[in-house]
Amino acid sequence: MERVVQFTGPRQVEVAELPSTPLPPGHLRVRTRYSGISAGTELTAYRGTNPYLTRTWDAGARIFRDGAAGIEYPVVGWGYSEVGEVTEVSPDVAGTPGTPAVGDLVWGIWGHRSEGVVPAQKLNGHTLPAGLEPLAGAFARVGAIAYNAVLASDIHVGEDVVVFGQGVIGLLATRLAQLNGARVTAVDALDGRLEWAARYGAALTLNARTDDVAERTREATGGLGADVAIEISGVYPALHEALRAVTVGGRVVASGFYQGDGAGLRLGDEFHHNRVQLVCSQIGGVPQQLSGRWTVERLQQTFLRLVAEGRVDVESLVSHVVPVADAAEAYVLLDERPQDALQTVLEF
C-alpha cells in the first residue's frame, strides 16, 4: 500500500491508502523522503480557485475552453517538489547510462505520495549532487521557477531590480538576482519575510502595506525607477505596483500564478505611458531567446549545483517539516497563517 495526499473538495485534505502500482517497463520506483508544498499553485487547488477546476486546457490550441473542468475532486497526489530513494529499477533500463540505481537519492516530480513510479528518462541526471542534504533536493523545482524569472529579467551588472513577494520563490529570486549583479529591492507585506530578504542580499526592503513602493524605488534610483521588477506574489495590485515601479521602457516579469479577474490592475496608467515591457515567466519553458542554451532541466540542475556549492542557502528556508499524517494541518497553516511559515515540507 502507498499513502497519497488528496484534496476531496475545497479546503478538504485526506491521506488515503492506495494499492502500490506495479512497476512497468522503463520505470523506477522511488520511496519518498520529503515532498515540498507549493504555497502558490497547490493552494489554488486546495482553495478551489485553480482554473483547471472550471475550464479545460486545450493543449493543441493552447487556450482554456469553458464548459467542462480539466480536473475534478478528488485531486490526487498534487505536488511537484519530491526527493526520495530509488528502491526498484525496471530490468530493461537497469544499468543504462544516466539511469539512477537502487539506493540512489533522486529528485523529481511524482506528487505527495509515499512512493513514486516514474519513467526512468524523467530521472536521468536527477541524482542528488554529492554532499547535498536530501531535504535540499525538494527545492529543485521552486528554485528553477525563481531562476527562470531571473533569466527572463535579462539583468545586467549594476541594474536595479525590485522583487515583489518574499515567500520561498521570491527569496530565491532575490538571492539569484543579487548573484547576477543586481541591486535588489525586496517587497512584501510581512516584516518577517523582509528580514529574510535582507539576509538573502536585498539592499532595500519595503513593506507593501505601509510604503509607497514606486515612490520609494524612484528615490533609491535617482528618480528613474527600477530597470526590472519581478512579480512573484500572484496578486494583481502587486503586479500593478511593479508596473509603476520601473523606468521608461523597463521590464516587468510576471512569475506569479494570478487567479480570477485582474482587480487592481490598470493598464492605462504607467504601463501605457512608460511603454513598459510585461513578460510572463512560467516553468513550462525557458525564455525563448535562451532556448538554444537553456532548458528546464538545466535550470533545475544548475540551481541544485549552486546550492551544493554553498552559493544559495535553502535549508534555512524550511520552517516546518510535517509528518504526512498531519498534511491537513500543514495546508491550514499555509492558507490561514502564511506569516508563520516559509517552506513547509511533508515527511514520509
Side-chain angles (χ1 to χ4, degrees), residues 12 17 20 33 84 89 165 184 232 252 258 269 289 312 329:
Q12 298 174 29
E17 289 199 354
S20 293
R33 289 203 183 179
V89 180
V184 181
I232 284 182
V252 172
Y258 304 93
D269 293 5
Q289 68 271 23
V312 179
E329 297 175 20

Side-chain angles (χ1 to χ4, degrees), residues 178-294:
Q178 190 255 343
L179 285 176
N180 207 57
R183 181 172 63 175
V184 181
T185 295
V187 181
D188 201 279
L190 299 174
D191 287 333
R193 291 187 176 179
L194 294 175
E195 292 171 7
W196 273 103
R199 293 179 219 165
Y200 267 60
L204 176 65
T205 60
L206 298 174
N207 188 303
R209 296 188 189 277
T210 58
D211 291 311
D212 186 320
V213 174
E215 293 282 6
R216 291 287 305 278
T217 300
R218 276 171 167 71
E219 290 172 8
T221 56
L224 295 176
D227 297 285
V228 173
I230 300 173
E231 206 301 293
I232 284 182
S233 73
V235 177
Y236 286 111
L239 180 58
H240 182 71
E241 195 65 14
L243 293 168
R244 292 186 69 226
V246 296
T247 189
V248 174
R251 172 172 291 197
V252 172
V253 176
S255 189
F257 190 13
Y258 304 93
Q259 304 296 297
D261 295 333
L265 178 62
R266 302 186 302 276
L267 297 182
D269 293 5
E270 291 82 4
F271 170 73
H272 179 78
H273 289 80
N274 289 332
R275 303 181 300 284
V276 176
Q277 303 174 51
L278 179 57
V279 177
C280 176
S281 175
Q282 197 268 350
I283 196 57
V286 299
Q288 185 62 39
Q289 68 271 23
L290 298 177
S291 60
R293 308 199 310 268
W294 282 87

Side-chain angles (χ1 to χ4, degrees), residues 31-99:
R31 180 188 300 120
T32 309
R33 289 203 183 179
Y34 301 106
S35 184
I37 297 178
S38 159
T41 304
E42 278 189 60
L43 286 190
T44 67
Y46 172 76
R47 292 168 175 156
T49 62
N50 191 289
Y52 284 91
L53 291 166
T54 56
R55 297 188 296 283
T56 299
W57 173 246
D58 185 329
R62 298 201 64 81
I63 59 172
F64 278 97
R65 299 191 185 279
D66 294 327
I71 59 174
E72 298 178 343
Y73 291 112
V75 178
V76 181
W78 206 258
Y80 58 74
S81 300
E82 286 70 57
V83 61
E85 180 182 348
V86 177
T87 59
E88 187 180 0
V89 180
S90 176
D92 62 308
V93 292
T96 58
T99 299

